[in-house]
Amino acid sequence: MLSYKHAFHAGNHADVIKHLGWIAVIDYLCKKNKPFTLFDTHAGAGQYSLDDEQASKNSEYESGIARLVDTAMAEPLVEKYLTLCGEFYQQHYYPGSPVIAATLLRDNDQLHVMELHPAEIPKLQASLKGLARGQVHIHHRDGLEGLNALAPPSPVRGAVLIDPPYELLSEYQSVTDTVNAILKKWAQAQIVIWYPLLSARAGQKSGCSERMVEALTESGKTAFTAELHVADNSSDTGMYGSGLLFINPSWQLDTQLTDALNAIAPALGDNIKVSVTWRKRESA
Ligand SMILES: C[S@@+](CC[C@H](N)C(=O)[O-])C[C@H]1O[C@@H](n2cnc3c(N)ncnc32)[C@H](O)[C@@H]1O
């Protein structure tokens, strides 16, 4: 299908929670002096001009990054996110997940980014050119198939971001099947899955994210979700928020996310709700 274009949504509330979570995961990996491998299965264009026709159509960034970038927030994860994004925002750009990861990469780290849409590939190449210190591999292929083919990687320490457009109903099941297959051969992978929270107005897709999260927590791995609700779950809204499922999360990632989301919520709006919920804890 491939009609989704992330440029329309760059810098919105969903990008804010997703990129906060992805930065926290990478930041933890950087704490040890051992190389790591990152996979970004649905990369997009890498970075987005907020002045271009697509981004300015609904200006979704205005209710996301724009509400945060000029605030002085001392919460460490938010500060890191805003420092990184602020450099792009000054030029009226927003960095996507590949550019965020590339910016944080160290000399011996590896980053694999995958994107299926042919029009996004040259943009991705241009966005990543000369940016990373580590090695960046751009793959024009199906992200879930590519991840399955390349896992487990070397270095084996590492993390995965799965951020599909969920245009097709079948994508929820494909994510579940792929993650379960990956965990069988790369048991220690830290996996981050973004999902939309959709009201009844979304028809058949409503409830699919919740069912996917349930199914994925049956893998037996430790897991928690972090969610940002930007509207009530009513018939007036389509997507009322979004969440991240963290599988095999690093130590204290839950408290980091709780603190960061609580810090940004008041700046994002009056009715913003935050939740961080353990789905499967380490058995005692
Ligand atoms: C939500 S966007 C990604 C945004 C990006 N992760 C970020 O945070 O900046 C989803 C992307 O997945 C791409 N895509 C759709 N189906 C795909 C597939 N099967 N494999 C890889 N990429 C796909 C779309 O073209 C789109 O660019």
Side-chain angles (χ1 to χ4, degrees), residues 260-280:
L261 294 175
N262 281 325
I264 61 168
L268 286 178
D270 290 337
N271 279 324
I272 307 288
K273 292 191 189 79
V274 165
S275 71
V276 173
T277 312
W278 276 96
R279 306 284 171 162
K280 178 92 181 72

Side-chain angles (χ1 to χ4, degrees), residues 3-276:
S3 54
Y4 179 94
K5 281 279 172 59
H6 195 66
F8 288 103
H9 311 289
N12 69 2
H13 59 84
D15 267 2
V16 171
I17 180 172
K18 183 203 315 170
H19 295 152
L20 272 173
W22 193 221
I23 289 173
V25 167
I26 301 171
D27 198 38
Y28 190 85
L29 287 167
C30 287
K31 284 192 200 301
K32 271 199 192 155
N33 193 18
K34 280 187 181 170
F36 57 76
T37 306
L38 301 175
F39 290 100
D40 185 340
T41 59
H42 296 74
Q47 65 176 338
Y48 304 90
S49 162
L50 298 174
D51 295 324
D52 90 7
E53 212 181 313
Q54 294 177 339
S56 48
K57 182 148 188 268
N58 297 321
S59 299
E60 292 189 18
Y61 67 91
E62 284 181 358
S63 53
I65 183 66
R67 295 200 178 165
L68 302 172
V69 79
D70 291 327
T71 58
M73 292 208 197
E75 200 290 320
L77 176 57
V78 177
E79 196 183 16
K80 184 157 278 195
Y81 167 72
L82 291 180
T83 303
L84 198 159
C85 292
E87 285 182 22
F88 290 83
Y89 197 82
Q90 275 175 7
Q91 318 296 323
H92 227 219
Y93 272 80
Y94 183 78
S97 53
V99 162
I100 288 175
T103 308
L104 299 172
L105 226 56
R106 305 160 310 169
D107 291 345
N108 296 320
D109 301 327
Q110 306 271 334
L111 170 64
H112 293 271
V113 298
M114 298 170 195
E115 170 58 49
L116 196 55
H117 200 304
E120 299 297 71
I121 292 293
K123 295 180 199 162
L124 188 54
Q125 287 164 335
S127 300
L128 290 169
K129 202 168 176 202
L131 199 65
R133 279 185 290 157
Q135 290 178 39
V136 179
H137 313 270
I138 300 173
H139 306 258
H140 182 195
R141 71 196 292 181
D142 179 282
L144 298 177
E145 172 274 320
L147 172 64
N148 206 3
L150 297 175
S154 174
V156 75
R157 255 183 106 225
V160 180
L161 175 66
I162 300 182
D163 180 25
Y166 298 104
E167 283 184 293
L168 303 170
L169 212 50
S170 59
E171 283 179 273
Y172 296 90
Q173 190 59 47
S174 305
V175 171
T176 308
D177 293 344
T178 304
V179 169
N180 284 332
I182 296 303
L183 287 170
K184 281 202 179 105
K185 53 185 175 174
W186 185 20
Q188 70 272 50
Q190 284 190 59
I191 305 184
V192 186
I193 300 146
W194 178 87
Y195 55 86
L197 292 167
L198 301 171
S199 73
R201 210 177 100 183
Q204 276 188 305
K205 286 188 185 168
S206 176
C208 282
S209 292
E210 290 82 347
R211 286 192 287 279
M212 179 179 75
V213 167
E214 282 289 315
L216 282 167
T217 45
E218 281 167 17
S219 72
K221 300 286 182 191
T222 56
F224 75 86
T225 50
E227 295 185 353
L228 196 61
H229 297 206
V230 296
D232 290 331
N233 178 5
S234 73
S235 51
D236 301 337
T237 50
M239 185 166 104
Y240 63 91
S242 70
L244 296 172
L245 171 65
F246 294 90
I247 298 178
N248 284 331
S250 54
W251 190 59
Q252 292 190 331
L253 187 62
D254 58 331
T255 46
Q256 256 187 303
L257 258 292
T258 306
D259 293 348
L261 294 175
N262 281 325
I264 61 168
L268 286 178
D270 290 337
N271 279 324
I272 307 288
K273 292 191 189 79
V274 165
S275 71
V276 173

